Amino acid sequence: MTQESLYTLLRERFDAVLREAGIENEPIGVVCRTLTPEEAIGHTVRKDFPIITGKDVMIEATFRGVRGQAFTDAPTTFSGSLGDVLKMDIVHNPHDRGIFIAVLNAVMGSLNRCTGTVHCRTDGPEQCAKDMLGYLRAHAPNARHIALIGYQPALLNMFAESEYDVRVLDLNPANVGQVRYGVTVEHGQTAKEDAIAWADLILCTGSTLCNGTITDYIGIRPEVLFFGITLAGSADLLGLKRVCFADRYE
C-alpha cells in the first residue's frame, strides 16, 4: 500500500463514519492547537521522551468536548468545521495531515468508536510499560525477539530488563547510533528490513501514521502491534491491531 492510497482510504472511511452519524454537513466547530510538553505528558521521571526533547510535537483537537491528540513533526493550529477538515490535503501536506488525524481521533472518541485519544501523563508512561509487558506475556507468549519501532524510553527500558531481546529503530538523528538502556538505537530505514526479518513481533508507534512510514508495517510478517494515541481512531478504520492503555490513566 502506498502512502497516497492509505490516506485516500482513511479519508473515505472517515467520511463514511460522518455520513453514518449524520454530521457530515453540520457546521460544527473544531479547534486544534499545539500542546506544551507539560500539557502533553506532564512531569515524567524520564526526560528523553520525544515530546520533551523536541523532535515530536503533540497537537490536540476538541470536538463536542472530546479531545483527540496526535504526534506530528509539522504542528499547526486550526479552527473550522468537519467539512473543512475533509477537504484538507492529507496526502501531500503534513500540517493538514496532523490536523486531520487529531480531529479524526476526537470525532471517533465522541462517537465511542475508540478509546485512548489522550496521552497518558506523569506516571502513566511507566505504568503503560508494565501493562505492555503483562499484555505481551499473556497474548504473545512465544515471541522473544521484539522490534520496537519508534524510540519510547519507558518501553525500551522495560524490554531491556525483561526476558525479551529487543531492537529499537528510530528516525531522529539525535537517537540513531546512541546506546539507550543498554540497546543501540538503529536507523529506522537502513535497519528496517533486517529488524523485520529478525523479529518475532513488531511493536510500532502509531505516530508513523503522521509521517507516512506506517505503510512499511502494514500487511507484513511477523505480527505488528501498534501502540499510542495517534492511531486511536484510524486503527478501527484501517483494520490495524492497536494496544494502548492511555484511557486507564486519564
Side-chain angles (χ1 to χ4, degrees), residues 64-245:
R64 291 183 172 176
V66 177
R67 295 182 295 157
Q69 298 176 342
F71 281 109
T72 177
D73 58 2
T76 188
T77 58
F78 166 80
S79 181
S81 69
L82 290 178
D84 295 330
V85 173
L86 283 175
K87 296 175 184 176
M88 286 182 166
D89 181 9
I90 62 173
V91 175
H92 304 103
N93 189 321
H95 299 280
D96 283 359
R97 190 182 308 145
I99 293 169
F100 181 93
I101 293 169
V103 170
L104 185 152
N105 285 340
V107 172
M108 294 289 281
S110 74
L111 296 175
N112 295 316
R113 293 283 297 266
C114 68
T115 60
T117 62
V118 176
H119 201 282
C120 53
R121 304 175 72 253
T122 308
D123 296 331
E126 302 301 317
Q127 186 60 47
C128 170
K130 295 177 183 178
D131 286 345
M132 185 66 76
L133 179 60
Y135 178 91
L136 294 179
R137 284 172 173 170
H139 296 278
N142 297 321
R144 282 297 173 265
H145 293 172
I146 307 293
L148 179 61
I149 311 301
Y151 179 71
Q152 207 278 21
L155 288 177
L156 179 59
N157 191 186
M158 174 273 288
F159 282 125
E161 295 180 350
S162 74
E163 67 271 26
Y164 295 101
D165 292 324
V166 63
R167 291 173 65 174
V168 56
L169 277 61
D170 199 62
L171 293 175
N172 185 354
N175 291 331
V176 176
Q178 301 299 309
V179 177
R180 303 287 172 82
Y181 306 100
V183 181
T184 300
V185 181
E186 302 177 69
H187 195 283
Q189 286 299 321
T190 59
K192 177 184 62 182
E193 296 300 329
D194 186 63
I196 290 173
W198 169 86
D200 298 322
L201 179 73
I202 296 172
L203 192 61
C204 181
T205 174
S207 301
T208 52
L209 180 64
C210 273
N211 66 25
T213 59
I214 192 171
T215 56
D216 294 336
Y217 301 99
I218 294 177
I220 66 169
R221 290 293 179 185
E223 181 181 18
V224 180
L225 299 180
F226 292 92
F227 68 91
I229 50 94
T230 303
L231 196 66
S234 298
D236 175 59
L237 298 180
L238 297 173
L240 302 177
K241 191 168 183 178
R242 170 179 173 256
V243 180
C244 184
F245 310 99

